[in-house]
Amino acid sequence: MSETPAVQISSLVKDFRGSFGRGIIRAVDGVTFEIAPGEVYGLIGPNGSGKSTTMKALLGLVAPTSGKCAIFGKDSTKVDSRRDVGFLPENPYFYKHLSGEETVRFYGKLCGMRGAELRKRTEEVLDLVDLQAARRRRLGGYSKGMLQRIGLAQAMVQDPRLLILDEPTAGVDPIGSRQIRDLILTLKKRGFTVFLCSHLLEQVQEVCDRVGIIHQGVLVKEGRLDDLISIEDQTEIVLRNATPSLLEKIRNLAENEEGVEFVHTGHPRTTLERLFLRETVQKDSQEDHAPVVVSTDNENS
Amino acid sequence: MSTDIQQTPLFSLRRVFIIAGNTFTHLMRMKVFYFLLVFVMVAIAVNFLKLPHTAGPESVGAEELRMLKSPMIGVMKLFAIILAIVATALLIPRDLEDRTLYTILSKPVPRLDYLIGKLLGVLILIFVGLTVMTVLLDAVLYFRMQSILESWTQAADMLVLQEQWTDADRTEGRRELLSHGVTWSLQAAMFAIFLEAAIIAALALLVSTFSSSTLFTVVISSLCYFIGQFIGDGRDHWLRESRMADDQVTVIASKLIVVVFPDFRPFKAVDEVVAGQPFPPDLIGTLLISAGLYTGIYLVLSWFIFSDKEI
């Protein structure tokens, strides 16, 4: 029997009514994807593309108009599905009157934890997010990066199998951003399943196994990151110790040239950022009959 | 990592108390108890009030105690009602704005637990505030009563000596004076204020589940509170008129209207206690049932609306 997916979203549609009930805005349109246990999945898309609505539907915060969402096989609209999930919303502001430790304990208690188990877990997550020194300080005095990290701590407090992170590095300085990236990599090593939304494509590329690109509510591209960013009709040759003159002859001589190590051959990669722009901005331009932007590189994209 | 398959109960008293405790701490750290300073200042100010001795010495004591109680109980009622409306109106919009609602509801927390916890937190705060103020009121009344009783006894003895009063008059006068002091009726009146605040807090919670602005919730809840002061009389009048005209639709509408606008008429017994009247013992039961029903109905309606609310 195959393993139950950590996340299962099938044909998700979400409509919102306009002001005074006039008109319907379709925020998510037939989105379908799965996340396997232990995988880090990145959902990327421009503002208003439906990323957060998809996450909210998965968490049961909004009800799907049609389609289904499940967490480890449990229907997302049921409270039970949330036992196995931790959520960090975009730009979270927790109760300012609580200290870091009190915040983690509060969320732990909501998950039914108590006594020695809660104390131990509070220590662990505060260690993990490196907030032991500021544990007794009220959140009103926390920096943006610290708030994100305490947000991660509360998300992890009940030791969930799935973490949903909405823009975890939004508004955080580069150092804080890197700390959060490292933390996600640590979680990945520990076997957590991570579902992440981010605008920082470079970061998504660094941490994610698979990505989905959502645009105007539609999942326009989805798959393994390595597959998505490879260009099928081009071949790259990676050489070590190659001289400029050798590069001139490389096409004909590479395989026969002595002293040259043939390191790798395969498909050259575009960047996730370029792929993202191609799937969103350039598609918009084509739909609007605007002039096609001609790339100066020589990719067959 | 957790892999246990446990069912999350629809309602958990423990979780409700966790949310209530957090709400209580939250509001307390918002320095709402500074209101107690206002209360203490009122208590000190009214202690300096002296009545012009137009009435006879036998009735001055009761008047002074009435003058002492009236503003202090007024401030207590103001504290309870303002806090019930404003604090409750703030809760859900604030959590939504700060996105704390997302993090709470993304844990295994049923929305009913969240609503009851928030309401309970406000009610605990009002109860604690009223209890502290009641203790202060009782203390002020007790000490004031001692000094008034001494001078009253001298005046009453004089009246008996001058044969203007009989012993029965003195006993009756003393009973009348003591009824203005620390009595069980006064404690019951304080509890009635709490129950009144509980109803209005539940109503504010209901309004806040569909309102998109705190100001709207405050205005509507305040309006309902003021309408609730005379809706009972209005209903009786409409019922009489519609029964005379045999208009069944108006009869049903008149009965239903007291669900939308709570009938606060029975809570006017608090004013009677200020005037020195005893609190009818059977009224406490009526008020408890009334508060329980209104709070329950508003809470269930809030749950219906909030359970489908898109956050």
Side-chain angles (χ1 to χ4, degrees):
Chain A
M1 206 172 70
S2 61
E3 200 173 6
T4 311
V7 169
Q8 208 169 8
I9 296 180
S10 341
S11 310
L12 177 69
V13 174
K14 180 63 198 170
D15 293 336
F16 289 108
R17 290 199 175 279
S19 303
F20 303 105
R22 283 181 301 187
I24 286 176
I25 299 152
R26 179 151 290 187
V28 179
D29 191 2
V31 167
T32 299
F33 65 89
E34 283 185 3
I35 304 175
E39 204 170 45
V40 178
Y41 188 95
L43 187 63
I44 54 177
N47 290 333
S49 58
K51 302 186 298 289
S52 294
T53 307
T54 305
M55 280 190 165
K56 284 180 186 177
L58 183 61
L59 287 159
L61 298 174
V62 297
T65 305
S66 66
K68 278 190 174 176
C69 300
I71 295 171
F72 290 104
K74 290 178 188 164
D75 186 347
S76 284
T77 56
K78 306 277 183 254
V79 177
D80 266 346
S81 68
R82 276 155 245 161
R83 297 185 72 84
D84 253 341
V85 63
F87 176 51
L88 172 68
E90 186 182 357
N91 296 319
Y93 287 92
F94 300 101
Y95 292 117
K96 284 180 193 161
H97 67 279
L98 297 179
S99 68
E101 184 180 354
E102 285 170 336
T103 301
V104 175
R105 288 179 63 81
F106 169 65
Y107 285 98
K109 283 180 193 169
L110 287 182
C111 297
M113 301 169 80
R114 62 172 92 183
E117 181 201 14
L118 180 59
R119 272 196 300 277
K120 184 171 168 269
R121 189 63 192 151
T122 304
E123 292 297 321
E124 280 172 9
V125 290
L126 285 174
D127 265 340
L128 197 63
V129 298
D130 196 20
L131 278 175
Q132 280 288 4
R135 61 188 297 165
R136 300 206 195 285
R137 208 190 301 167
R138 287 206 186 161
L139 297 196
Y142 271 31
S143 69
K144 183 90 187 160
M146 289 163 89
L147 277 175
Q148 292 290 113
R149 279 186 283 148
I150 203 71
L152 270 171
Q154 68 76 25
M156 291 186 293
V157 67
Q158 84 273 32
D159 205 10
R161 287 188 284 170
L162 170 69
L163 277 174
I164 300 181
L165 314 175
D166 192 2
E167 302 288 355
T169 52
V172 180
D173 64 38
I175 299 167
S177 181
R178 188 139 288 262
Q179 283 175 331
I180 291 169
R181 188 212 67 159
D182 291 344
L183 197 57
I184 295 170
L185 288 171
T186 308
L187 295 172
K188 184 179 174 177
K189 276 184 204 153
R190 291 188 179 193
F192 279 88
T193 309
V194 181
F195 177 21
L196 150 88
C197 268
S198 179
H199 283 114
L200 296 177
L201 304 178
E202 200 180 315
Q203 212 166 68
V204 172
Q205 193 165 352
E206 281 178 313
V207 299
C208 290
D209 302 313
R210 289 171 64 230
V211 292
I213 301 176
I214 188 168
H215 181 51
Q216 293 177 347
V218 178
L219 195 67
V220 289
K221 206 88 179 175
E222 204 259 338
R224 290 202 66 76
L225 187 66
D226 287 344
D227 298 338
L228 286 178
I229 59 177
S230 67
I231 301 171
E232 296 295 333
D233 56 357
Q234 290 184 15
T235 305
E236 69 178 2
I237 300 170
V238 181
L239 301 175
R240 184 171 291 154
N241 301 330
T243 62
S245 60
L246 176 64
L247 291 173
E248 289 293 317
K249 302 170 192 169
I250 198 79
R251 186 167 300 177
N252 300 319
L253 300 176
E255 286 185 3
N256 301 323
E257 191 70 34
E258 280 186 15
V260 176
E261 187 185 353
F262 199 96
V263 176
H264 170 75
T265 180
H267 302 296
R269 306 281 164 87
T270 182
T271 62
L272 184 59
E273 188 168 2
R274 217 174 285 167
L275 177 75
F276 173 77
L277 291 174
R278 190 179 69 202
E279 294 295 336
T280 57
V281 180
Q282 289 183 10
K283 267 196 179 162
D284 273 351
S285 305
Q286 283 161 11
E287 280 166 16
D288 295 344
H289 306 289
V292 175
V293 178
V294 179
S295 172
T296 52
D297 62 37
N298 56 0
E299 287 172 13
N300 293 333
S301 49
Chain B
M1 273 176 272
S2 61
T3 53
D4 57 326
I5 303 165
Q6 288 175 34
Q7 290 287 312
T8 306
L10 181 67
F11 173 79
S12 153
L13 202 58
R14 183 173 177 266
R15 212 164 23 221
V16 164
F17 274 106
I18 290 162
I19 296 170
N22 180 66
T23 307
F24 175 75
T25 318
H26 187 194
L27 292 169
M28 215 173 63
R29 290 185 187 172
M30 282 168 82
K31 301 181 174 63
V32 290
F33 280 140
Y34 276 15
F35 198 91
L36 291 177
L37 289 177
V38 175
F39 182 75
V40 170
M41 274 154 52
V42 169
I44 293 168
V46 293
N47 253 308
F48 286 107
L49 284 179
K50 288 284 174 199
L51 282 177
H53 285 236
T54 47
E58 71 282 359
S59 58
V60 167
E63 269 307 307
E64 279 191 13
L65 289 170
R66 212 183 344 257
M67 289 285 284
L68 187 70
K69 273 191 295 183
S70 185
M72 287 177 81
I73 292 175
V75 170
M76 288 166 80
K77 201 166 174 179
L78 196 69
F79 164 84
I81 300 301
I82 288 180
L83 207 64
I85 294 175
V86 178
T88 314
L90 271 174
L91 293 175
I92 297 177
R94 187 89 181 247
D95 275 6
L96 196 56
E97 203 176 299
D98 291 350
R99 296 184 174 90
T100 34
L101 191 56
Y102 295 168
T103 47
I104 291 173
L105 295 182
S106 62
K107 298 289 180 198
V109 176
R111 293 187 183 198
L112 180 63
D113 285 8
Y114 173 79
L115 283 178
I116 300 176
K118 285 285 170 185
L119 181 64
L120 192 63
V122 175
L123 296 187
I124 292 172
L125 184 85
I126 294 171
F127 189 81
V128 170
L130 280 177
T131 305
V132 172
M133 286 193 262
T134 304
V135 169
L136 277 168
L137 173 68
D138 285 351
V140 169
L141 271 180
Y142 175 80
F143 288 112
R144 193 68 185 268
M145 176 63 90
Q146 298 310 307
S147 63
I148 286 175
L149 201 58
E150 198 176 322
S151 52
W152 182 89
T153 309
Q154 285 172 2
D157 286 348
M158 189 63 73
L159 287 169
V160 171
L161 271 176
Q162 290 167 355
E163 295 183 347
Q164 291 180 34
W165 266 16
T166 62
D167 281 344
D169 290 336
R170 181 167 56 184
T171 309
E172 178 56 25
R174 187 182 166 83
R175 192 201 59 76
E176 156 79 10
L177 182 64
L178 288 176
S179 72
H180 287 280
V182 182
T183 60
W184 284 114
S185 283
L186 186 66
Q187 316 311 308
M190 299 301 103
F191 187 60
I193 292 176
F194 169 73
L195 293 178
E196 195 176 8
I199 296 174
I200 202 70
L203 180 68
L205 186 77
L206 169 63
V207 178
S208 75
T209 54
F210 60 81
S211 150
S212 53
S213 107
T214 305
L215 187 64
F216 178 82
T217 308
V218 170
V219 169
I220 294 295
S221 307
S222 306
L223 206 62
C224 289
Y225 177 68
F226 287 113
I227 292 172
Q229 300 299 315
F230 54 80
I231 195 72
D233 295 330
R235 185 196 60 167
D236 291 350
H237 170 73
W238 293 320
L239 272 176
R240 264 197 313 273
E241 296 281 309
S242 52
R243 274 178 184 146
M244 277 165 66
D246 199 22
D247 179 0
Q248 286 306 308
V249 177
T250 315
V251 170
I252 294 166
S254 303
K255 284 179 177 173
L256 279 177
I257 203 160
V258 289
V259 176
V260 180
F261 300 105
D263 180 7
F264 288 122
R265 198 171 38 175
F267 293 90
K268 287 184 178 158
V270 174
D271 301 335
E272 304 295 317
V273 172
V274 174
Q277 298 298 311
F279 196 93
D282 55 333
L283 187 62
I284 274 291
T286 309
L287 294 184
L288 264 173
I289 292 168
S290 169
L293 275 176
Y294 277 121
T295 309
I297 290 169
Y298 293 144
L299 202 56
V300 169
L301 290 174
S302 306
W303 181 39
F304 282 152
I305 297 169
F306 192 63
S307 59
D308 286 334
K309 194 177 171 82
E310 310 246 288
I311 298 166

